Amino acid sequence: MSLIVQKFGGTSVADTDKIRAAARKAVRAQQQGHQVVMVVSAMGKNTDVLVSLASEMSETPPAREMDMLLSTGEQVSVALVAMAIHGMGAKAVSLTGGQIGIRTDNSFTKARIQSISTARIERLLDEGNIVIAAGFQGIDEDLNITTLGRGGSDTTAVALAAVLGAETCEIYTDVDGVYTTDPRVLPEARHVGVISYDEMLELASLGAGVMHSRSIEFAKKFGVPIHVRSSFSDTEGTMIVAEPESASASVCGAALTRDEARITVLGVPDVPGTSLEIFSAISDRKIAVDMIVQNIGNDGRTDISFTVQHSDLESTLQAVSAAATQLGAVGITHDDQVSKVSVVGLGMAVQTGVAHKMFRALADAGVNIQMITTGEIKISVLVSRDQASNALRAVHQVFKLMDQPAERKSWAQIRAERHEKADVNTLVARLQSDALEELTLTGIDVMPNQARVTLRGVPDTPGIAADMFESVSEAGVFIDMIVQGIDGEDGRTSVSMTIPEKDLDTCLEVAKSLMKRHGLRDVQGGEGIAKVTVSGIGLRSHTNVGTIMFRALAGADINVQMINTSELQVNTVIDGKKAQIGRERLSAAFQEALR
Ligand code: ADP
Ligand code: ASP
Ligand code: MG
């Protein structure tokens, strides 16, 4: 008999009528011949209410007690859903995370799932019950209640779908699927029929709040098809599967993280081990760092900038100030009025010109770009918060995301064509492992013969990035990585890009012509560098990845010249002569960490 998991978010169980409607959907699926597991969130805004109660009690409530408190929201809803199903004459049993046996680590409020026992659920299903699981919670080794982080019920649902071998995981929510961007922010956003795991993973991690990004890690690892759909209608929603909707589109969606903060550590020694010191202090607090930019040093010193979620700012500043003192840094600056706008698309990995199209659109909209980082399938820019919605609208428009892509596959077509099946043995091994949510690595690769061009002292005005990348592309040079970050304290920035070594002279020429036109301070080039790429699933959400990498490279006396991170890849640019040893050290370090 086929099994489906149905997850209902807070708005979908906000009152007793809605709870009855959710119960009806489950009963109907059971009558159609499925075994049904429901995963339910706390009613409405109940979790927010609990959070504010806690903050009335203490400015820094103990994390363990936070989880004890927050888990109660889901316990209320599962019991009510079970009662509703009983009222409809069907059999149902509600279970907490602990009762199911969702084992997590003990990082309270951000716990990760280690294992799930399926025996009890399977027995209850075989007895004809609808099983109703409390979302977002688990239990650690010492039977403490843990929670998975805000929005974590999606992850409970997909994880259960994975271990139970469900046919699909249905995510019932207050929108009828995934849109090209948040439809509440941009009403012109378009409903997407199909989206790939990789694209959804990046979008979710970059701010598309419709799915908890860790749930997509599970879906990708275990090949679970997800159907995101409306609780309030029966229309078809969005399928999240391995394949993309369109092979021709360069960008499939845009996302906004409104509440970001930028931190710059000024004047740290430009030697191996500096990044390690800073980022290990942050990752010890399980804070996810994004947009890491290290400027090319001057006089043996350099600046390192990065962003974190605004809510993590205080804690990050505490962590960084100790590290900065240790390193003898000149100072720390931060800006808490910034937002991150990103575009994502698998097509970007093979199409050129996506970056300068985005930068031109932002310049035309009068938006100044403060930082840039790129990944294989994403580009993110940091802008001031008061320009964030404008910036999002401009990029959504320039990639024509409101229009259907010319070539587009429906879910039915994809299903018919599906022949790739995940390697069954790997899946079984992953499912049996005691670390379901551990980092998964898929490869470590070296790209030799690269060069870097850096423009320093770029004035703080819109349009320069657009000009620069347009001119370089027009000269026929393929740009791979781009990073732009704060350069010193005068509001200017520095921009670095990697290109094939053979194009260094051409690129330097273009850069020098821009230097005059835009009043840049300096242009530098360097050849003989290599890009070392670590690929995997959930590289950013596992906050220790950077530490593992920086430690391995610093141990081999390798200086990291550039870095970018995404959920799928971390790229570092290092001296080409040290690429092989770097690769070996990284392989060893990750093997050790994953053991
Ligand atoms: P639930 O409580 O059901 O988990 P959430 O509030 O977590 O619901 O997620 C649904 C919300 O996600 C939508 O109301 C929408 O505003 C927001 N959202 C953000 N980005 C997107 C997107 N790309 N597509 C659809 N919805 C999005
Ligand atoms: N109730 C939790 C929250 O609001 C979990 C969830 O809804 O996914 O974050
Ligand atoms: Mg949600």
Coordinates of all heavy atoms in Angstrom, one line a residue, residues 329-405:
A329 N 43.6 42.5 15.4 CA 43.0 43.3 14.3 C 42.9 44.7 14.6 O 42.9 45.1 15.8 CB 41.6 42.7 14.1
V330 N 42.7 45.6 13.6 CA 42.6 47.0 13.8 C 41.3 47.4 14.4 O 41.2 48.3 15.2 CB 42.9 47.8 12.5 CG1 42.6 49.2 12.6 CG2 44.3 47.5 12.0
G331 N 40.2 46.7 14.0 CA 38.9 47.0 14.5 C 37.8 46.2 13.9 O 38.1 45.4 13.0
I332 N 36.6 46.4 14.3 CA 35.4 45.7 13.8 C 34.4 46.7 13.4 O 34.1 47.6 14.2 CB 34.8 44.7 14.8 CG1 35.9 43.7 15.2 CG2 33.6 44.0 14.2 CD1 35.4 42.8 16.3
T333 N 33.8 46.7 12.2 CA 32.7 47.5 11.9 C 31.5 46.6 11.6 O 31.7 45.5 11.2 CB 32.9 48.5 10.7 OG1 33.1 47.6 9.5 CG2 34.1 49.3 10.9
H334 N 30.3 47.2 11.7 CA 29.1 46.4 11.2 C 28.0 47.3 10.7 O 28.0 48.5 11.0 CB 28.6 45.4 12.3 CG 27.9 46.1 13.4 ND1 28.6 46.5 14.6 CD2 26.7 46.5 13.6 CE1 27.8 47.1 15.4 NE2 26.6 47.1 14.8
D335 N 27.2 46.8 9.9 CA 26.0 47.5 9.4 C 24.8 46.6 9.6 O 24.8 45.5 9.0 CB 26.3 47.8 7.9 CG 25.1 48.7 7.3 OD1 24.1 48.8 8.0 OD2 25.3 49.1 6.1
D336 N 23.8 47.1 10.3 CA 22.7 46.2 10.5 C 21.5 46.6 9.7 O 20.3 46.2 9.9 CB 22.3 46.1 12.0 CG 22.0 47.5 12.6 OD1 22.0 48.5 11.9 OD2 21.7 47.5 13.8
Q337 N 21.7 47.5 8.7 CA 20.6 48.0 7.9 C 20.7 47.5 6.5 O 20.6 48.2 5.5 CB 20.6 49.5 7.9 CG 20.3 50.2 9.2 CD 18.9 49.8 9.7 OE1 18.0 49.8 9.0 NE2 18.9 49.4 11.0
V338 N 21.1 46.2 6.3 CA 21.3 45.7 5.0 C 20.4 44.4 4.7 O 19.9 43.8 5.6 CB 22.8 45.2 4.8 CG1 23.6 46.5 4.6 CG2 23.3 44.4 5.9
S339 N 20.2 44.2 3.4 CA 19.4 43.0 3.0 C 20.1 42.3 1.9 O 20.9 43.0 1.2 CB 18.0 43.5 2.4 OG 17.3 44.2 3.4
K340 N 19.8 41.1 1.7 CA 20.5 40.3 0.7 C 19.5 39.9 -0.4 O 18.4 39.4 -0.1 CB 21.1 39.0 1.3 CG 21.8 38.1 0.4 CD 22.5 37.0 1.1 CE 21.6 36.1 1.8 NZ 22.3 35.1 2.7
V341 N 19.8 40.2 -1.7 CA 19.0 39.8 -2.8 C 19.7 38.8 -3.6 O 20.9 39.0 -3.9 CB 18.6 41.1 -3.6 CG1 17.8 40.6 -4.9 CG2 17.8 42.1 -2.8
S342 N 19.1 37.7 -3.9 CA 19.8 36.6 -4.7 C 18.9 36.2 -5.9 O 17.7 36.2 -5.8 CB 20.0 35.4 -3.8 OG 20.6 35.8 -2.6
V343 N 19.6 35.7 -6.9 CA 19.0 35.0 -8.0 C 19.5 33.6 -8.0 O 20.7 33.4 -7.7 CB 19.0 35.7 -9.3 CG1 18.3 37.0 -9.3 CG2 20.5 35.8 -9.8
V344 N 18.7 32.6 -8.4 CA 19.1 31.2 -8.4 C 18.7 30.6 -9.7 O 17.6 30.9 -10.2 CB 18.4 30.5 -7.2 CG1 18.7 29.0 -7.3 CG2 19.0 31.0 -5.9
G345 N 19.5 29.7 -10.3 CA 19.0 29.0 -11.5 C 20.1 28.0 -11.9 O 21.3 28.4 -12.0
L346 N 19.7 26.8 -12.3 CA 20.7 25.8 -12.7 C 21.3 26.2 -14.0 O 22.5 25.9 -14.3 CB 20.0 24.4 -13.0 CG 19.7 23.6 -11.7 CD1 18.9 22.3 -12.1 CD2 21.0 23.2 -11.1
G347 N 20.6 27.0 -14.9 CA 21.0 27.4 -16.2 C 22.3 28.3 -16.1 O 23.1 28.4 -17.0
M348 N 22.4 29.0 -14.9 CA 23.5 29.9 -14.7 C 24.9 29.2 -14.8 O 25.9 29.8 -15.2 CB 23.4 30.4 -13.3 CG 23.6 31.8 -13.1 SD 23.5 32.2 -11.4 CE 21.8 32.5 -11.2
A349 N 24.9 27.9 -14.5 CA 26.2 27.2 -14.5 C 26.7 27.1 -15.9 O 27.9 26.9 -16.0 CB 25.9 25.8 -13.9
V350 N 25.9 27.2 -16.9 CA 26.4 27.0 -18.2 C 26.2 28.3 -19.1 O 26.8 28.4 -20.2 CB 25.7 25.8 -19.0 CG1 26.2 24.5 -18.4 CG2 24.2 25.9 -18.8
Q351 N 25.4 29.2 -18.6 CA 25.2 30.4 -19.4 C 26.0 31.6 -18.9 O 26.2 31.7 -17.7 CB 23.7 30.8 -19.4 CG 22.8 29.8 -20.2 CD 21.4 30.2 -20.1 OE1 21.1 31.4 -20.1 NE2 20.5 29.2 -20.2
T352 N 26.5 32.4 -19.8 CA 27.3 33.6 -19.4 C 26.4 34.8 -19.3 O 25.3 34.8 -19.8 CB 28.4 33.8 -20.3 OG1 27.9 34.0 -21.6 CG2 29.4 32.7 -20.3
G353 N 26.9 35.9 -18.7 CA 26.2 37.1 -18.8 C 25.1 37.3 -17.7 O 24.5 38.4 -17.7
V354 N 24.9 36.3 -16.9 CA 23.8 36.5 -15.9 C 24.1 37.5 -14.9 O 23.3 38.4 -14.5 CB 23.5 35.1 -15.2 CG1 22.4 35.3 -14.2 CG2 23.1 34.1 -16.3
A355 N 25.4 37.6 -14.5 CA 25.8 38.5 -13.4 C 25.7 39.9 -13.9 O 25.1 40.7 -13.2 CB 27.3 38.2 -13.0
H356 N 26.2 40.2 -15.1 CA 26.1 41.7 -15.4 C 24.7 42.1 -15.8 O 24.4 43.3 -15.6 CB 27.2 42.1 -16.5 CG 27.0 41.6 -17.8 ND1 26.1 42.1 -18.7 CD2 27.7 40.6 -18.5 CE1 26.2 41.4 -19.8 NE2 27.1 40.5 -19.8
K357 N 23.9 41.2 -16.2 CA 22.5 41.5 -16.4 C 21.8 41.9 -15.1 O 21.1 42.9 -15.0 CB 21.8 40.3 -17.0 CG 20.5 40.6 -17.7 CD 20.1 39.3 -18.5 CE 18.7 39.4 -19.0 NZ 18.3 38.2 -19.7
M358 N 22.2 41.2 -14.0 CA 21.6 41.5 -12.7 C 22.2 42.8 -12.2 O 21.4 43.7 -11.7 CB 22.0 40.4 -11.7 CG 21.6 40.6 -10.3 SD 22.0 39.2 -9.3 CE 21.3 39.6 -7.7
F359 N 23.5 43.1 -12.4 CA 24.1 44.3 -11.9 C 23.5 45.5 -12.6 O 23.3 46.6 -12.1 CB 25.6 44.2 -12.0 CG 26.2 43.1 -11.2 CD1 27.5 42.5 -11.7 CD2 25.6 42.5 -10.2 CE1 28.0 41.4 -11.0 CE2 26.1 41.4 -9.5 CZ 27.3 40.8 -9.9
R360 N 23.3 45.3 -13.9 CA 22.8 46.5 -14.7 C 21.4 46.8 -14.3 O 21.1 48.0 -14.1 CB 22.9 46.1 -16.2 CG 22.2 47.1 -17.2 CD 22.9 48.5 -17.1 NE 24.3 48.5 -17.6 CZ 25.2 49.3 -17.2 NH1 24.9 50.3 -16.4 NH2 26.4 49.2 -17.7
A361 N 20.6 45.8 -14.1 CA 19.2 46.0 -13.6 C 19.2 46.8 -12.3 O 18.4 47.7 -12.1 CB 18.5 44.7 -13.5
L362 N 20.1 46.4 -11.4 CA 20.2 47.1 -10.1 C 20.7 48.6 -10.3 O 20.1 49.5 -9.7 CB 21.1 46.3 -9.2 CG 20.6 45.0 -8.7 CD1 21.7 44.2 -8.0 CD2 19.4 45.2 -7.8
A363 N 21.6 48.7 -11.2 CA 22.1 50.1 -11.4 C 21.0 51.0 -12.0 O 20.8 52.1 -11.5 CB 23.3 50.1 -12.4
D364 N 20.3 50.4 -12.9 CA 19.2 51.2 -13.6 C 18.1 51.6 -12.5 O 17.4 52.6 -12.7 CB 18.6 50.4 -14.7 CG 19.5 50.3 -15.9 OD1 20.5 51.0 -15.9 OD2 19.2 49.5 -16.8
A365 N 18.0 50.7 -11.5 CA 17.0 51.0 -10.5 C 17.6 51.9 -9.4 O 17.0 52.1 -8.4 CB 16.5 49.7 -9.9
G366 N 18.8 52.3 -9.6 CA 19.5 53.2 -8.6 C 19.9 52.6 -7.4 O 20.1 53.2 -6.3
V367 N 20.1 51.2 -7.4 CA 20.5 50.5 -6.2 C 22.0 50.3 -6.2 O 22.6 49.8 -7.1 CB 19.8 49.1 -6.2 CG1 20.3 48.3 -5.0 CG2 18.3 49.2 -6.2
N368 N 22.6 50.7 -5.1 CA 24.1 50.5 -4.9 C 24.3 49.1 -4.3 O 23.7 48.7 -3.4 CB 24.6 51.6 -4.0 CG 26.1 51.6 -3.9 OD1 26.8 51.4 -5.0 ND2 26.7 51.7 -2.8
I369 N 25.3 48.4 -5.0 CA 25.6 47.1 -4.5 C 26.8 47.2 -3.5 O 27.9 47.7 -3.8 CB 26.1 46.2 -5.7 CG1 24.9 46.1 -6.7 CG2 26.4 44.8 -5.2 CD1 25.4 45.4 -8.0
Q370 N 26.6 46.7 -2.3 CA 27.7 46.8 -1.3 C 28.6 45.6 -1.3 O 29.8 45.7 -1.0 CB 27.0 47.0 0.1 CG 26.1 48.2 0.2 CD 25.6 48.4 1.6 OE1 26.0 47.7 2.6 NE2 24.6 49.3 1.7
M371 N 28.0 44.5 -1.5 CA 28.8 43.2 -1.6 C 28.2 42.3 -2.6 O 27.0 42.4 -2.9 CB 28.8 42.5 -0.2 CG 29.8 43.1 0.8 SD 29.6 42.4 2.5 CE 30.3 40.8 2.4
I372 N 29.1 41.5 -3.2 CA 28.6 40.5 -4.2 C 29.3 39.2 -3.8 O 30.5 39.2 -3.5 CB 29.1 40.8 -5.6 CG1 28.6 42.2 -6.0 CG2 28.6 39.8 -6.6 CD1 29.2 42.7 -7.4
T373 N 28.6 38.1 -3.9 CA 29.2 36.8 -4.0 C 28.4 35.9 -5.0 O 27.2 36.1 -5.1 CB 29.3 36.0 -2.7 OG1 27.9 35.8 -2.2 CG2 30.2 36.6 -1.7
T374 N 29.2 35.0 -5.7 CA 28.5 34.2 -6.6 C 28.7 32.7 -6.2 O 29.7 32.4 -5.5 CB 29.1 34.4 -8.0 OG1 30.5 34.1 -7.9 CG2 28.9 35.8 -8.5
G375 N 27.9 31.8 -6.7 CA 28.1 30.4 -6.5 C 27.8 29.8 -7.9 O 27.5 30.5 -8.8
E376 N 27.9 28.5 -8.0 CA 27.7 27.9 -9.3 C 26.3 28.2 -9.8 O 26.1 28.5 -11.0 CB 27.9 26.4 -9.2 CG 28.1 25.8 -10.6 CD 28.0 24.3 -10.6 OE1 27.4 23.7 -9.7 OE2 28.5 23.7 -11.6
I377 N 25.3 28.2 -8.9 CA 23.9 28.4 -9.4 C 23.2 29.6 -8.7 O 22.0 29.7 -8.7 CB 23.0 27.2 -9.4 CG1 22.7 26.7 -8.0 CG2 23.6 26.0 -10.2 CD1 21.5 25.8 -7.9
K378 N 24.0 30.5 -8.1 CA 23.4 31.7 -7.5 C 24.3 32.9 -7.5 O 25.5 32.7 -7.6 CB 23.0 31.3 -6.1 CG 24.2 31.0 -5.2 CD 24.3 31.9 -4.0 CE 25.7 31.7 -3.4 NZ 25.9 32.5 -2.2
I379 N 23.7 34.0 -7.5 CA 24.4 35.3 -7.3 C 23.7 36.0 -6.2 O 22.5 36.2 -6.2 CB 24.4 36.2 -8.5 CG1 25.0 35.4 -9.7 CG2 25.1 37.5 -8.3 CD1 24.7 36.1 -11.1
S380 N 24.4 36.5 -5.2 CA 23.8 37.3 -4.1 C 24.5 38.7 -4.1 O 25.7 38.8 -4.3 CB 24.0 36.7 -2.7 OG 23.4 35.4 -2.7
V381 N 23.7 39.7 -3.8 CA 24.2 41.0 -3.6 C 23.6 41.6 -2.2 O 22.5 41.2 -1.8 CB 23.8 42.0 -4.7 CG1 24.4 41.6 -6.0 CG2 22.3 42.2 -4.8
L382 N 24.4 42.4 -1.6 CA 24.0 43.0 -0.4 C 23.7 44.5 -0.7 O 24.4 45.2 -1.3 CB 25.1 43.0 0.7 CG 24.7 43.2 2.1 CD1 23.9 42.0 2.6 CD2 26.0 43.4 3.0
V383 N 22.5 44.9 -0.3 CA 22.0 46.3 -0.6 C 21.5 46.9 0.7 O 21.2 46.2 1.7 CB 20.9 46.3 -1.7 CG1 21.5 45.7 -2.9 CG2 19.7 45.6 -1.2
S384 N 21.3 48.2 0.7 CA 20.7 48.8 2.0 C 19.3 48.4 2.1 O 18.6 48.2 1.1 CB 20.9 50.3 2.0 OG 19.9 50.9 1.2
R385 N 18.8 48.2 3.3 CA 17.5 47.6 3.5 C 16.4 48.5 2.8 O 15.4 47.9 2.4 CB 17.2 47.4 5.0 CG 16.0 46.6 5.2 CD 15.9 46.1 6.7 NE 17.1 45.3 7.0 CZ 17.7 45.4 8.2 NH1 17.2 46.1 9.1 NH2 18.8 44.7 8.4
D386 N 16.5 49.8 2.8 CA 15.4 50.6 2.3 C 15.3 50.4 0.7 O 14.4 50.9 0.1 CB 15.6 52.1 2.7 CG 16.9 52.7 2.3 OD1 17.7 51.9 1.7 OD2 17.2 53.8 2.7
Q387 N 16.3 49.8 0.1 CA 16.2 49.6 -1.3 C 15.9 48.1 -1.7 O 15.9 47.7 -2.8 CB 17.6 50.0 -2.0 CG 17.9 51.4 -1.9 CD 19.1 51.8 -2.7 OE1 20.1 51.2 -2.6 NE2 18.9 52.8 -3.6
A388 N 15.7 47.3 -0.6 CA 15.6 45.9 -0.8 C 14.5 45.4 -1.8 O 14.7 44.7 -2.7 CB 15.5 45.1 0.5
S389 N 13.3 46.0 -1.5 CA 12.1 45.6 -2.4 C 12.3 46.0 -3.8 O 12.0 45.3 -4.7 CB 10.8 46.1 -1.8 OG 10.7 45.7 -0.5
N390 N 12.9 47.2 -4.0 CA 13.1 47.7 -5.3 C 14.1 46.9 -6.0 O 14.0 46.6 -7.2 CB 13.8 49.1 -5.2 CG 12.7 50.2 -5.3 OD1 11.6 49.9 -5.6 ND2 13.1 51.4 -4.9
A391 N 15.1 46.5 -5.3 CA 16.2 45.6 -5.9 C 15.6 44.3 -6.3 O 15.9 43.8 -7.4 CB 17.3 45.4 -4.9
L392 N 14.8 43.7 -5.4 CA 14.1 42.4 -5.8 C 13.3 42.5 -7.0 O 13.3 41.7 -7.9 CB 13.3 41.9 -4.6 CG 12.7 40.5 -4.8 CD1 13.7 39.4 -4.8 CD2 11.6 40.3 -3.7
R393 N 12.5 43.6 -7.1 CA 11.6 43.8 -8.2 C 12.4 44.0 -9.5 O 12.1 43.4 -10.5 CB 10.8 45.1 -8.0 CG 9.8 45.4 -9.1 CD 8.7 46.4 -8.8 NE 7.9 46.0 -7.7 CZ 7.9 46.5 -6.5 NH1 8.7 47.6 -6.2 NH2 7.1 46.1 -5.5
A394 N 13.5 44.7 -9.4 CA 14.4 45.0 -10.6 C 14.9 43.6 -11.1 O 14.9 43.4 -12.4 CB 15.5 45.9 -10.3
V395 N 15.4 42.8 -10.3 CA 16.0 41.6 -10.8 C 14.9 40.6 -11.3 O 15.1 39.9 -12.3 CB 17.0 40.8 -9.8 CG1 18.2 41.7 -9.5 CG2 16.3 40.4 -8.6
H396 N 13.8 40.6 -10.6 CA 12.7 39.7 -11.0 C 12.3 40.1 -12.4 O 12.0 39.2 -13.3 CB 11.5 39.9 -10.0 CG 10.5 38.8 -10.2 ND1 9.4 39.0 -11.0 CD2 10.3 37.6 -9.6 CE1 8.6 37.9 -10.9 NE2 9.2 37.0 -10.0
Q397 N 12.2 41.4 -12.7 CA 11.8 41.9 -13.9 C 12.8 41.6 -15.1 O 12.5 41.2 -16.1 CB 11.7 43.4 -13.8 CG 11.3 44.2 -15.0 CD 9.9 44.7 -14.8 OE1 9.5 45.0 -13.6 NE2 9.1 44.9 -15.8
V398 N 14.1 41.8 -14.8 CA 15.1 41.7 -15.8 C 15.2 40.3 -16.3 O 15.5 40.0 -17.5 CB 16.5 42.3 -15.4 CG1 17.3 41.4 -14.5 CG2 17.3 42.7 -16.6
F399 N 15.0 39.3 -15.4 CA 15.0 37.9 -15.9 C 13.7 37.4 -16.3 O 13.5 36.2 -16.5 CB 15.7 37.0 -14.8 CG 17.1 37.3 -14.6 CD1 17.6 38.0 -13.4 CD2 18.1 37.0 -15.5 CE1 18.9 38.3 -13.2 CE2 19.4 37.3 -15.4 CZ 19.8 37.9 -14.2
K400 N 12.7 38.3 -16.4 CA 11.4 38.0 -16.9 C 10.8 36.8 -16.1 O 10.2 35.9 -16.7 CB 11.4 37.7 -18.4 CG 11.9 38.9 -19.2 CD 11.5 38.7 -20.7 CE 11.6 40.0 -21.5 NZ 12.8 40.8 -21.3
L401 N 10.9 36.9 -14.8 CA 10.5 35.7 -14.1 C 8.9 35.6 -14.0 O 8.4 34.6 -13.7 CB 11.1 35.8 -12.6 CG 12.6 35.5 -12.6 CD1 13.1 35.7 -11.2 CD2 12.9 34.2 -13.2
M402 N 8.3 36.8 -14.3 CA 6.8 36.7 -14.3 C 6.2 36.0 -15.5 O 5.1 35.6 -15.5 CB 6.2 38.1 -14.1 CG 6.7 39.1 -15.1 SD 8.4 39.6 -14.7 CE 8.6 40.8 -16.0
D403 N 7.1 35.8 -16.6 CA 6.6 35.1 -17.8 C 7.0 33.6 -17.7 O 8.1 33.3 -17.2 CB 7.3 35.7 -19.0 CG 7.0 37.2 -19.2 OD1 5.9 37.6 -18.6 OD2 7.8 37.9 -19.8
Q404 N 6.2 32.8 -18.3 CA 6.5 31.3 -18.4 C 7.7 31.2 -19.2 O 7.9 31.8 -20.3 CB 5.4 30.6 -19.1 CG 4.0 30.7 -18.4 CD 3.9 29.7 -17.3 OE1 4.9 29.1 -16.8 NE2 2.7 29.6 -16.8
P405 N 8.7 30.3 -18.8 CA 9.8 30.1 -19.7 C 9.4 29.5 -21.0 O 8.3 28.8 -21.1 CB 10.7 29.1 -19.0 CG 10.0 28.7 -17.7 CD 8.7 29.5 -17.6

